[in-house]
Amino acid sequence: VTFFESTETGTVWEHLKRSYRHLSRDVGRRGLCLQHHADWNDQLEPSAKTGERESVMVSEQLCAGLLEMAELADRVGDLGVGEECRALHREMAEKINHVAWDGAWYQRTICEDGYALCSGRNEEAKIFVNTQSWAVLGCVAEEERLRQCMESVDRHLTKPEGIPICDPPCTKFDERIGRFTTVMPYHIENGGCYNHAAGFKTVADCILGRAEQAWDTLVKVAPDNPDNPVSQ
């Protein structure tokens, strides 16, 4: 398979190895993955005004990918890659817990000047669902901490209408964050109930054995949820 914008070719396995090695090196001053164009949330794209940012979510996704790569390596007998991936996973998970744990949940994005989006210290956008779900999917901490961050989702992000991306939404422009803060509150990425994010949460619930919470989330996002009917 040809590499992106290159005449060089490699096997799919070589593409995968190059991907995780690149992500592991493409980090900011705190050691987390740099945020480039749209780390799932299109409105959080950094700009010249917002400065360099590190994405907690991409770092957690890298952790999930490293564990899958380690399992694949075991299956094909590439023991060196398996060991490398587990070591990189431990290293990134340690960094996430050191710089992105906010006391009861994981932050979302850390700006160049140290400002953290998704912190209990903030007036708005205190908590995002995706960095809690992906902490579980990426196995970035012991189960007790993972349960703590999902219980924070229960308290702050479980609404009758569904699972909002963040709460409370941003109501005023903040240059440190950028375009995200120009979106109307409760609309799309700025506090909207997003079924894609609810899907991540449901899988995280299942991993932790939170069957009731997983089922409740599925009911909320199903068509014609009694608390959020189609007519609404």
Side-chain angles (χ1 to χ4, degrees):
V1 180
T2 305
F3 284 93
F4 181 61
E5 294 183 346
S6 171
T7 58
E8 184 185 358
T9 62
T11 65
V12 173
W13 187 241
E14 288 165 344
H15 277 258
L16 290 170
K17 289 190 292 185
R18 187 172 296 191
S19 296
Y20 76 72
R21 287 167 180 162
H22 169 74
L23 279 168
S24 298
R25 293 191 300 267
D26 187 37
V27 298
R29 66 180 67 177
R30 298 165 188 84
L32 302 186
C33 294
L34 284 172
Q35 184 173 331
H36 296 292
H37 173 70
D39 67 338
W40 184 88
N41 190 325
D42 299 350
Q43 309 300 330
L44 280 179
E45 183 179 21
S47 68
K49 286 189 175 182
T50 62
E52 180 180 275
R53 292 210 298 246
E54 293 168 71
S55 172
V56 180
M57 182 176 178
V58 171
S59 302
E60 293 170 338
Q61 290 176 318
L62 172 60
C63 284
L66 287 166
L67 292 179
E68 293 199 353
M69 279 295 295
E71 181 181 348
L72 286 170
D74 291 345
R75 289 173 179 264
V76 300
D78 197 335
L79 301 182
V81 166
E83 292 175 0
E84 179 188 12
C85 287
R86 290 185 179 93
L88 288 171
H89 176 274
R90 288 192 298 271
E91 182 179 329
M92 181 57 74
E94 183 177 345
K95 291 174 183 174
I96 292 169
N97 283 286
H98 179 65
V99 304
W101 178 249
D102 199 60
W105 59 76
Y106 288 95
Q107 297 165 354
R108 179 64 173 84
T109 292
I110 303 175
C111 300
E112 188 170 3
D113 63 1
Y115 175 79
L117 181 62
C118 179
S119 170
R121 298 183 295 276
N122 302 346
E123 292 183 9
E124 299 181 335
K126 289 178 178 290
I127 179 171
F128 280 66
V129 64
N130 279 339
T131 40
Q132 317 324 316
S133 303
W134 277 96
V136 178
L137 297 173
C139 299
V140 304
E142 299 296 328
E143 184 173 324
E144 181 179 353
R145 176 168 285 191
L146 297 178
R147 287 190 176 278
Q148 185 177 0
C149 69
M150 292 305 293
E151 287 166 1
S152 294
V153 172
D154 296 340
R155 288 193 301 274
H156 300 283
L157 289 163
T158 302
K159 313 292 185 181
E161 299 81 11
I163 308 297
I165 288 179
C166 68
D167 188 77
C170 294
T171 61
K172 51 186 177 293
F173 178 69
D174 188 333
E175 193 174 83
R176 294 170 299 185
I177 304 170
R179 189 157 59 108
F180 178 82
T181 59
T182 67
V183 178
M184 188 166 60
Y186 301 108
H187 185 63
I188 54 172
E189 286 95 343
N190 186 15
C193 292
Y194 231 77
N195 286 5
H196 191 181
F200 297 147
K201 177 198 177 290
T202 303
V203 177
D205 285 333
C206 291
I207 289 172
L208 292 177
R210 289 163 35 100
E212 293 300 325
Q213 291 87 347
W215 175 252
D216 178 67
T217 301
L218 287 175
V219 170
K220 288 181 188 300
V221 302
D224 225 18
N225 164 11
D227 292 315
N228 189 24
V230 171
S231 59
Q232 182 168 289

